[in-house]
Amino acid sequence: MLGAPVGDDVFGEDPTVKRLEEYVAELLGKDAALYAPSGTMTNQIGIHVNTNRGDEVLLHEGSHIFVYEAGAPAMLSGVQLRTLSGENGVLDPETVRASVRPEDVHFPRSRLLCLENTHNTSGGKVFPLEDFAAAATTAKELGLKVHLDGARLFNAQAATGLPAREWCAHADTVSVCSSKGLGAPVGSLLAGDEQTIREARRARKAFGGGMRQAGIIAAASLYAFENHVDRLTEDHARASTLAAGLRDAGYRAREPETNLVLVAVDQPLAYLQALAREGVLATPGKPGFVRLCTHLDVGDEEIDAAIEAAARITTSTAGR
Ligand SMILES: Cc1ncc(COP(=O)(O)O)c(C=O)c1O
């Protein structure tokens, strides 16, 4: 980061940001990519460039965009969200087909389908490639665009051995984060075709995400994509060890597919406070669950410590 060559990225003059954008576009099999401060921003820019005001966006009821992005699609793009149900974040083609509105002045225009891989609120579940292709193809046949929230897309790659770009081939725009398991302090990218990313650059400026000498932080993202993708399998193995240890300690902990472990507890917020007092930080999951996450900064020692800490917590909040 200290040695990164920098320039003014709003003028398109930061060589490190440019290198990062080219690297990630290539990795995802897209023409171009745009660097932005957060995954929320790249999702919101993705929505903005794929829709017009008054349009309807279809997405899973547990999707990050719907649950955790502060109502931004309505606030920033004037679109309406229509939530769909599906096991583990997977939307089947029939559900998509049945949710697309007919052409009629009474209805909003169904314009965009957002899919998430891996799926956060389902505990890091992979969206199987075949199912992903089927949902996306149906959406496209019906005239919709497809946006992939791939904040943890490389975890899906690590879990399946399939290249991330296989999912991206079915999406018009893709958002990926360097700041999650990949370990960079900050930074996400939106990838797509040249024209879409040109529009995205304008939207990023409007949303306040145009950064000047951003190469300093982009250098960390570039390092993360170049060096930390292959090691995600280590996080998955540790998540599995963590889940097994928690089950041995009497918890109901789902076997993870990737790096997120959902643990059922009676009082999640009180439980998280008790866990924090033991030196382990975690977040709420879906209702009735807490979510533990493995990533670059969590090693075997931390896994052992987390299991021991959880084992010490009393039954009143844990419900073991
Ligand atoms: C699936 C998913 N998408 C998007 C985001 C948003 O990323 P950021 O926190 O960088 O805004 C997250 C964050 O946890 C996420 O889990």
Side-chain angles (χ1 to χ4, degrees), residues 38-40 43 64 69 116 118 120 149 151-152 177 179-180 188:
S38 71
T40 299
N43 276 336
H64 193 277
E69 299 192 9
E116 186 178 309
T118 63
N120 181 19
D149 177 354
R152 296 184 189 78
C177 297
S179 57
K180 311 235 163 357
S188 295

Side-chain angles (χ1 to χ4, degrees), residues 66-286:
F66 178 61
V67 181
Y68 293 119
E69 299 192 9
M75 198 191 289
L76 302 175
S77 298
V79 293
Q80 169 169 305
L81 300 183
R82 182 166 190 188
T83 56
L84 314 182
S85 302
E87 192 85 8
N88 295 325
V90 172
L91 296 176
D92 69 59
E94 285 326 303
T95 304
V96 172
R97 187 178 297 281
S99 309
V100 172
R101 312 271 189 178
E103 181 58 44
D104 182 311
V105 291
H106 292 89
F107 300 132
R109 287 199 175 95
S110 308
R111 185 79 72 179
L112 176 68
L113 174 68
C114 295
L115 302 173
E116 186 178 309
N117 188 23
T118 63
H119 197 256
N120 181 19
T121 56
S122 306
K125 289 278 187 184
V126 174
F127 202 133
L129 180 58
E130 237 173 69
D131 296 334
F132 191 92
T137 304
T138 299
K140 285 185 186 177
E141 280 168 9
L142 296 167
L144 276 69
K145 293 282 180 77
V146 177
H147 171 75
L148 165 56
D149 177 354
R152 296 184 189 78
L153 183 60
F154 292 100
N155 292 92
Q157 171 175 304
T160 59
L162 295 168
R165 55 167 60 204
E166 297 272 333
W167 282 276
C168 302
H170 301 284
D172 297 284
T173 49
V174 183
S175 162
V176 289
C177 297
S178 63
S179 57
K180 311 235 163 357
L182 295 182
V186 64
S188 295
L189 291 103
L190 183 76
D193 66 32
E194 291 283 358
Q195 197 190 332
T196 303
I197 295 305
R198 212 172 304 124
E199 274 309 302
R201 209 168 282 284
R202 176 176 282 268
R204 183 186 67 175
K205 188 75 184 79
F207 291 175
M211 297 181 284
R212 300 295 174 183
Q213 299 192 358
I216 292 171
I217 49 174
S221 294
L222 183 59
Y223 186 91
F225 284 111
E226 283 179 339
N227 296 284
H228 294 163
V229 169
D230 290 342
R231 63 152 304 285
L232 289 173
T233 48
E234 294 173 28
D235 294 343
H236 297 182
R238 289 198 177 100
S240 184
T241 305
L242 176 62
L246 293 173
R247 284 195 297 270
D248 287 346
Y251 286 90
R252 283 167 290 146
R254 299 234 190 122
E255 182 57 23
E257 277 180 30
T258 57
N259 68 327
L260 303 179
V261 180
L262 286 183
V263 187
V265 291
D266 280 351
Q267 298 174 49
L269 293 182
Y271 183 78
L272 288 171
Q273 284 169 3
L275 206 52
R277 282 195 293 273
E278 296 283 344
V280 180
L281 300 178
T283 54
K286 60 183 183 179

Side-chain angles (χ1 to χ4, degrees), residues 11-92:
F11 295 153
E13 290 173 355
D14 189 299
T16 308
V17 172
K18 278 188 174 170
R19 245 182 83 200
L20 169 66
E21 291 176 341
E22 282 163 18
Y23 186 87
V24 171
E26 165 70 23
L27 207 54
L28 301 179
K30 295 293 184 196
D31 296 341
L34 176 76
Y35 182 56
S38 71
T40 299
M41 189 181 281
T42 43
N43 276 336
Q44 294 307 321
I45 295 173
I47 289 173
H48 197 75
V49 296
N50 283 312
T51 59
N52 296 308
R53 294 183 79 76
D55 285 347
E56 189 164 69
V57 175
L58 310 184
L59 75 187
H60 189 270
E61 61 195 348
S63 64
H64 193 277
I65 291 173
F66 178 61
V67 181
Y68 293 119
E69 299 192 9
M75 198 191 289
L76 302 175
S77 298
V79 293
Q80 169 169 305
L81 300 183
R82 182 166 190 188
T83 56
L84 314 182
S85 302
E87 192 85 8
N88 295 325
V90 172
L91 296 176
D92 69 59

